[in-house]
């Protein structure tokens, strides 16, 4: 071995090695005696050799004669590079985990003590890539199975980056290949260390890193939602550096992930986003291309729930504004030289944003607003809240420049102020106040009043009130009369809520006993007045809303006002009228019909309008039309019909009249997509059959049971049970028919089909079908026995068939 060392030394062309000191030569001799142990067959032997090397390197530090640390490092360089490095790198693949750990420790020690650690990179980087990434970048799992050793190897790579600096550039491929894998390592500590290493690599090789930076963005973004918040912070910080020294093309790929982190539950994560985005706005080379995308992220942090984060974001934003102002000083020269004081009506003149901040927002507002207007209607509450807060911040910066974007902003506020989330409404009313502050009344009145005329709403009035509250009194004074006239219009002032309180006060003024007596006194006149405009109603019309309130609260008074009420109902429920209005009206009418004796039939006169109700309202609305809206209206109409026939207000003769007119339509609704419609239709048919008692035409009667039989295959067990109940009633009606033999072939078919469902997987269906067969068995018992014997061997269990047979045997003999 000594001869080998001497040969290597003689062959080496390195000038530093030719000038080795006696101490370096002595270290070489000591090390050469230990190196053969690294090739031992036993794990114990290799480990002892590595431990001996560790003791030697940690205890016997070579010192130069003059005590110069640089000379000592130079003396260590030769033995380290020639003898130790290649053998320790081979030990990284040792089967024994303890040996691999010692090898990593010795490599770390060697890099720190060597005079030229960069000389180790051509061997070190491929070895690290082999242990952490394998032959392919996406290989999983990594060759190194021990997570603590993977962490140590990434730390070793990070050390090499710090010590070698720009010398690492030729080895970027290997380093990036390692990081692409370790950034996704299952061990959280490895991911954090990899993030720090990626940032260090970017800073160390600024002239070359941009060619490789994009390949790290994917793994970083996969880790940005990691369950450990420290990993998320590390990823955000590393991404900031990677893009800062890399390619600006990656900004678009990163921003959606950063925006999502603004909703992170951990404050440190949100703070990291603000810092990185602020840094980009200050120093990113291509930042001008991304200003409209970066500004909203930083401004969103101004309303963070943690004051420290909001304060830091405000400081960063101020720096960004000043920096941009300095860069564009020539462009802003007039505004800087002739800068005036804040507007006298400014909501916070003492903390008015600087010129640079205001100009940045104004110049990018047209690109930012569309996204804000979209997100403020998002289905996620947190997104709506954050967007509403950001809108207020933008309007505070834009000041008078809001005017050119006023229409889309007002549309957004009208929608957002109807939000159920109070935080959204609070921020939007703040934005409306800012509009009143910075926009001339001549401008905002023209737009907001036009919107209120087209579609008055509580949210529109709230926005209008907030705008007026923010407007300076002296500017608003000339327009007070116009505002008052508009607010006095019926389509606005009559849309007021608090109906119950108003009715109670009115009843007290008229000295009547509650709202029922009040309606009894005035409902006729009220309906006559409403009838004047009912042909123009939609679901949002003030007149229709008033009509709906009259229906809901008049109670017994409606029974006295049927001559005025029914024509309005007939007109408003025609198929050509507004679908939302018809849906709402059917719902209200269902409630009235369920309690018909206390509402529309309080005077016993409702039967006189039954023909109109059936022919002019139910028949047109039960006809099939394509589309979901039409289906919803049919469901509402069927529900309303069920309320009528189950209310008890109709006699059997009247139900028979209804059945004669509506049975074809109800049989059709058994095929509706809506489970509710099919269920209610089954129940209505059952009521029709119970009250028919032989009055249905035989040909029409036969057409009923096949439609009910189809419902036994329904996806809903509730519908199947309701259909079975109706079949029982159908069979009972046949039993009352003198000419039952006319139906024999149909009943045989029904027996055959019901016997199939007698073996249904659902026990409830089996029991219901058994009852149906028992009810029908009295018609043709011998026929039923023959059909049952034909299928008995096919049933999984004979239990129900045996019960049916026992029932048949107990029947009295046919006369």
């Amino acid at each position: 071995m000594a001869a080998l060392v001497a040969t290597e030394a003689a062959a080496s062309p390195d000038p530093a090695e030719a000038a080795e000191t006696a101490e370096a030569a002595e270290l070489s001799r000591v090390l050469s005696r230990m190196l053969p142990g690294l090739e031992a067959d036993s794990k114990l032997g290799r480990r002892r050799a590595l431990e001996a090397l560790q003791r030697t390197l940690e205890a016997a530090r070579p010192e130069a004669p003059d005590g110069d640390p640089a000379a000592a490092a130079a003396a260590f360089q030769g033995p380290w590079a020639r003898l130790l490095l290649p053998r320790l790198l081979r030990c990284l693949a040792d089967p024994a985990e303890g040996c691999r750990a010692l090898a990593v420790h010795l490599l770390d020690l060697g890099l720190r003590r060597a005079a030229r650690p960069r000389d180790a990179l051509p061997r070190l980087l491929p070895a690290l890539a082999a242990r952490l990434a394998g032959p392919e970048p996406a290989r999983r799992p990594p060759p190194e199975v021990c997570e603590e050793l993977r962490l140590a190897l990434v730390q070793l790579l990070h050390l090499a980056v710090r010590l070698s600096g720009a010398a690492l550039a030729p080895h970027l491929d290997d380093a990036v290949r390692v990081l692409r894998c370790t950034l996704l390592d299952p061990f959280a500590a490895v991911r954090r260390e990899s993030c720090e290493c990626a940032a260090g690599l970017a800073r160390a090789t600024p002239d070359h890193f941009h060619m490789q930076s994009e390949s790290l963005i994917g793994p970083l973004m996969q880790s940005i939602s990691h369950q450990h918040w420290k990993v998320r912070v590390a990823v955000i910080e590393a991404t900031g550096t990677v893009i800062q020294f890399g390619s600006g093309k990656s900004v678009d790929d990163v921003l959606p992930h950063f925006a999502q982190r603004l909703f992170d539950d951990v404050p440190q994560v949100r703070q990291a986003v603000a810092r990185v985005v602020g840094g980009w706005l200050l120093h990113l080379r291509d930042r001008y291309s991304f200003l409209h995308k970066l500004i909203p992220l930083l401004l969103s942090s101004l309303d963070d729930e943690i004051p420290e984060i909001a304060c830091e974001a405000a400081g960063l934003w101020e720096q960004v504004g000043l920096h941009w102002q300095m860069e564009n000083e020539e462009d802003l020269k007039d505004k800087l030289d002739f800068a005036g004081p804040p507007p006298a009506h400014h909501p916070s003149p003492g903390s008015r944003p600087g010129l640079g901040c205001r100009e940045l927002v104004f110049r990018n507002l047209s690109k930012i607003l569309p996204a804000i207007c979209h997100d403020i209607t998002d289905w996620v509450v947190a997104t709506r809240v954050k967007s509403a807060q950001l809108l207020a911040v933008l309007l505070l910066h834009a000041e008078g420049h809001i005017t050119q974007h006023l229409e889309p902003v007002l549309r957004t506020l009208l929608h957002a102020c109807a939000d159920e989330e109070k935080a959204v409404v609070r921020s939007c009313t703040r934005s409306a106040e800012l509009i009143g502050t910075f926009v001339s009344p001549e401008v905002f009145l023209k737009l907001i009043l036009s919107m209120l005329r087209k579609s008055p709403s509580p949210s529109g009035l709230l926005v209008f009130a907030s705008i007026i509250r923010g407007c300076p009194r002296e500017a608003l004074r000339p327009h007070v009369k116009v505002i008052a006239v508009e607010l006095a219009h019926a389509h606005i002032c009559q849309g007021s809520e608090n109906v119950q309180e108003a009715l109670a006060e009115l009843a007290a003024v008229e000295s009547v006993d509650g709202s029922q007596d009040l309606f009894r006194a005035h409902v006729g006149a009220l309906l006559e007045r409403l009838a004047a405009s009912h042909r123009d109603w939609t679901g949002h019309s003030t007149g229709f809303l008033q009509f709906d309130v009259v229906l809901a609260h008049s109670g017994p008074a409606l029974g006295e006002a049927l001559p005025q009420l029914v024509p309005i109902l007939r007109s408003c429920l025609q198929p050509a009228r507004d679908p939302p209005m018809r849906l709402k009206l059917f719902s209200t009418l269902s409630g009235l019909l369920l309690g018909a004796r206390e509402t529309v039939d309080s005077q016993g006169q409702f039967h006189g309008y039954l023909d109109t109700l059936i022919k002019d309202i139910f028949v047109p609305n039960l006809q099939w039309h394509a589309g979901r809206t039409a289906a919803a209206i049919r469901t509402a109409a069927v529900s309303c019909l069920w309320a009528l026939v189950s209310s008890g207000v109709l006699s059997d003769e009247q139900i028979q009249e209804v059945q004669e007119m509506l049975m074809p339509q109800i049989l059709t609704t058994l095929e509706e997509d809506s489970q509710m419609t099919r269920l209610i239709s089954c129940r209505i048919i059952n009521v029709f059959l119970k009250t028919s008692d032989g009055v249905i035409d035989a040909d029409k009667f036969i057409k009923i049971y096949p439609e009910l039989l189809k419902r036994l295959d329904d996806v809903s067990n509730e519908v199947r049970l309701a259909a079975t109940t109706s079949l029982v009633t159908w069979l009972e009606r046949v039993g009352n028919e003198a000419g039952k033999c006319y139906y024999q072939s149909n009943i045989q078919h029904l027996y055959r089909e019901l016997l199939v469902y007698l073996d249904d997987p659902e026990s409830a269906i089996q029991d219901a079908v058994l009852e149906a067969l028992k009810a029908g068995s009295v018609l043709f018992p011998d026929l039923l026995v023959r059909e049952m014997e034909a299928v008995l061997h096919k049933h999984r269990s004979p239990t129900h068939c045996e019960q049916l047979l026992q029932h048949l045997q107990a029947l009295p003999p046919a006369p």
Side-chain angles (χ1 to χ4, degrees):
M1 179 60 71
L4 176 62
V5 173
T7 303
E8 289 180 357
S12 177
D14 194 336
E17 293 179 1
E20 275 188 344
T21 63
E23 288 79 3
E26 177 61 25
L27 178 60
S28 296
R29 285 192 293 273
V30 172
L31 293 178
S32 62
R33 288 196 297 270
M34 301 177 183
L35 293 178
L38 298 180
E39 310 295 333
D41 293 335
S42 69
K43 174 176 69 175
L44 183 59
R46 298 193 301 275
R47 178 162 187 151
R48 286 176 175 170
L50 287 164
E51 289 172 345
L53 283 171
Q54 180 182 359
R55 289 193 297 272
T56 300
L57 293 182
E58 290 179 349
R61 296 178 178 273
E63 294 292 345
D66 57 359
D68 184 4
F76 179 76
Q77 178 70 36
W80 153 255
R82 292 195 317 274
L83 304 177
L84 273 181
L85 180 62
R87 291 167 176 81
L88 290 176
L89 292 176
R90 286 200 295 271
C91 288
L92 292 180
D94 195 285
E97 183 180 311
C99 294
R100 300 199 302 275
L102 284 168
V104 174
H105 175 69
L106 291 172
L107 285 167
D108 181 278
L109 183 61
L111 282 179
R112 293 177 187 278
R113 292 184 56 184
R116 297 185 303 280
R118 60 184 178 277
D119 292 352
L121 296 179
R123 293 176 174 176
L124 177 63
L125 267 295
L128 292 177
R131 292 307 297 166
L132 291 170
E136 298 178 5
R139 179 175 173 180
R140 282 292 182 272
E144 179 51 66
V145 296
C146 175
E147 57 186 21
E148 286 81 6
L149 276 180
R150 295 201 300 274
L151 175 59
L153 289 169
V154 176
Q155 290 171 337
L156 185 63
L157 174 61
H158 195 183
L159 176 65
V161 170
R162 291 199 302 269
L163 296 176
S164 304
L168 201 70
H171 310 285
L172 267 178
D173 285 346
D174 282 331
V176 169
R177 187 156 68 93
V178 168
L179 292 173
R180 288 185 61 197
C181 291
T182 57
L183 283 168
L184 300 175
D185 196 274
F187 189 25
V190 174
R191 294 201 191 200
R192 292 203 308 271
E193 186 67 29
S194 299
C195 288
E196 295 177 11
C197 186
L201 187 65
R203 287 188 288 265
T205 58
D207 296 333
H208 303 84
F209 182 74
H210 63 92
M211 295 183 289
Q212 296 279 358
S213 64
E214 290 183 46
S215 61
L216 291 178
I217 296 301
L220 283 168
M221 293 304 99
Q222 286 179 258
S223 292
I224 201 170
S225 57
H226 193 273
Q227 60 182 344
H228 291 185
W229 70 266
K230 290 185 178 179
V231 173
R232 301 199 295 274
V233 170
V235 168
I236 292 167
E237 293 173 346
T239 302
T241 306
V242 165
I243 288 182
Q244 183 71 50
F245 290 93
S247 171
K249 299 176 184 176
S250 302
V251 173
D252 286 332
D253 300 326
V254 165
L255 290 182
H257 298 276
F258 271 38
Q260 192 62 37
R261 289 305 102 205
L262 289 175
F263 302 100
D264 202 289
D265 293 333
V266 179
Q268 290 89 333
V269 177
R270 303 196 301 272
Q271 187 174 37
V273 173
R275 288 174 177 173
V276 169
V277 172
W280 283 346
L281 283 168
L282 287 168
H283 306 299
L284 189 66
R285 285 191 296 269
D286 301 328
R287 61 186 177 277
Y288 277 47
S289 303
F290 303 106
L291 286 176
H292 64 288
K293 299 178 180 180
L294 295 175
I295 288 172
L297 292 182
L298 183 56
L299 292 184
S300 294
S301 298
L302 297 181
D303 285 304
D304 195 276
E305 60 184 15
I306 304 298
E308 291 78 6
I309 297 177
C311 183
E312 183 174 357
L316 284 168
W317 176 236
E318 185 178 359
Q319 293 178 42
V320 169
L322 289 173
H323 187 65
W324 185 87
Q325 182 177 313
M326 290 173 59
E327 291 179 329
N328 298 271
E329 193 169 359
E330 286 298 319
D331 189 24
L332 300 174
K333 190 173 187 303
D334 290 343
K335 293 183 179 180
L336 288 170
D337 291 344
F338 304 101
H345 48 276
H346 194 282
S348 53
S351 57
R352 185 191 188 194
L355 176 62
C357 295
R358 300 199 307 273
E359 284 291 318
L360 271 173
V361 168
F362 160 58
R363 297 188 183 202
N364 291 278
L365 193 58
S366 61
K367 298 178 182 178
I368 298 174
L369 270 181
I372 299 295
C373 296
H374 176 269
D375 289 348
I376 211 168
T377 61
D378 194 87
W379 66 275
V380 179
V381 173
T383 302
R384 301 201 303 272
V385 171
K386 187 71 73 174
S387 301
Q389 292 173 342
L390 179 57
L391 179 60
V393 174
L394 291 172
L395 297 185
L396 180 64
H397 281 74
E399 295 185 354
H401 299 297
I402 304 172
T403 303
Q404 57 190 283
H405 307 286
L406 188 57
E407 187 173 1
V409 171
L410 282 176
R411 283 200 308 268
T412 299
L413 293 178
L414 289 175
H415 189 284
C417 279
D419 201 290
E420 296 179 355
E421 182 62 37
K422 292 182 179 179
V424 174
V425 176
R426 186 164 54 249
S427 294
C428 287
T429 55
R430 172 63 178 154
S431 294
E433 290 176 6
L434 291 172
I435 290 174
T437 300
F438 295 119
V439 178
S440 167
E442 289 83 356
V443 177
F444 70 66
L445 283 174
K446 181 178 180 181
L447 290 174
I448 189 66
L449 292 178
S450 174
M451 292 177 178
L452 285 174
R453 290 187 197 108
K454 290 179 182 177
S455 56
S457 63
S459 62
L461 292 174
L462 177 60
V463 171
F464 192 21
S466 301
I467 292 174
I468 292 174
R469 185 164 53 248
C471 186
R473 294 295 172 265
E474 61 276 10
L476 192 63
R477 186 172 292 110
H479 308 280
V480 170
K481 184 176 181 180
V482 173
I483 295 172
V485 169
E486 287 293 332
L487 291 178
H489 286 164
H491 70 284
I492 294 179
C493 69
Q494 293 183 11
S496 176
E497 297 180 355
N498 306 313
V499 173
Q500 294 293 352
E501 292 84 347
L503 288 175
E505 292 180 7
L506 186 58
V509 169
E510 293 206 359
S511 302
V512 295
D513 186 15
S515 61
Q516 294 298 318
D517 290 341
L518 187 67
F519 273 109
R520 185 172 287 111
H522 299 285
V523 70
L526 181 58
L527 288 174
E528 286 182 2
R529 186 175 66 81
L530 290 173
S533 63
H534 75 270
R535 289 181 176 81
D536 300 322
W537 286 352
T538 68
H540 302 287
S541 298
T542 303
F544 169 69
L545 297 176
Q546 291 174 347
F547 179 62
D548 190 62
V549 171
V550 170
L551 293 182
H553 293 86
S554 294
L558 290 176
E560 303 172 8
L562 290 176
Q564 296 88 6
L565 173 63
V566 173
I568 298 177
L569 287 174
R570 181 177 56 198
S571 174
C572 291
L573 288 173
Q574 292 307 300
R577 298 300 297 274
D578 181 55
M581 178 182 69
R582 291 158 64 202
L583 282 172
K584 174 62 177 172
L585 202 49
F586 267 127
S587 176
T588 303
L589 185 57
S590 296
L592 294 178
L593 293 176
L594 278 174
R597 295 190 189 280
E598 291 77 33
T599 55
V600 291
D601 198 41
S602 63
Q603 304 300 312
Q605 301 298 316
F606 182 67
H607 64 276
Y609 298 90
L610 184 60
D611 193 62
T612 298
L613 189 68
I614 301 303
K615 291 181 178 179
D616 296 340
I617 294 179
F618 284 119
V619 170
N621 285 285
L622 287 173
Q623 290 179 355
W624 189 90
H625 296 281
R628 293 183 179 180
T629 301
I633 289 174
R634 290 195 297 276
T635 299
V638 168
S639 301
C640 195
L641 178 60
W642 170 244
L644 174 63
V645 299
S646 63
S647 64
V649 74
L650 300 182
S651 65
D652 287 354
E653 291 76 13
Q654 290 169 335
I655 292 179
Q656 289 172 13
E657 293 176 15
V658 175
Q659 173 264 124
E660 289 174 4
M661 289 186 281
L662 293 182
M663 180 66 88
Q665 286 87 349
I666 296 302
L667 289 175
T668 302
T669 58
L670 286 173
E671 300 288 342
E672 289 285 345
D673 292 336
S674 167
Q675 174 187 325
M676 181 60 68
T677 307
R678 300 195 304 272
L679 177 62
I680 296 175
S681 298
C682 288
R683 292 173 176 172
I684 292 173
I685 291 173
N686 192 43
V687 173
F688 284 170
L689 290 172
K690 282 185 175 180
T691 55
S692 63
D693 201 16
V695 300
I696 303 180
D697 179 81
D699 292 334
K700 294 179 180 178
F701 187 73
I702 289 175
K703 293 178 181 179
I704 296 174
Y705 87 89
E707 301 301 326
L708 293 172
L709 199 55
K710 292 177 186 177
R711 289 304 99 217
L712 294 187
D713 288 324
D714 202 280
V715 295
S716 166
N717 283 339
E718 194 174 6
V719 174
R720 300 174 75 193
L721 291 171
T724 307
T725 301
S726 297
L727 283 171
V728 170
T729 307
W730 188 88
L731 288 166
E732 291 172 348
R733 295 281 76 78
V734 171
N736 294 336
E737 293 285 347
K740 67 178 182 179
C741 292
Y742 179 79
Y743 302 103
Q744 182 172 350
S745 61
N746 295 282
I747 292 171
Q748 182 178 8
H749 174 70
L750 182 55
Y751 284 163
R752 193 174 297 157
E753 293 296 323
L754 288 176
L755 285 169
V756 173
Y757 296 102
L758 193 60
D759 195 39
D760 195 87
E762 294 289 338
S763 60
I765 303 299
Q766 291 178 348
D767 294 339
V769 171
L770 178 60
E771 294 304 315
L773 286 168
K774 286 180 179 180
S777 63
V778 296
L779 299 174
F780 302 101
D782 296 337
L783 182 59
L784 178 55
V785 170
R786 290 197 300 271
E787 292 294 337
M788 183 171 56
E789 290 173 346
V791 299
L792 182 59
H793 67 282
K794 299 179 181 179
H795 282 208
R796 288 169 293 184
S797 171
T799 303
H800 286 84
C801 287
E802 292 171 353
Q803 293 178 17
L804 180 58
L805 187 59
Q806 292 173 4
H807 174 78
L808 289 168
Q809 291 171 348
L811 289 175

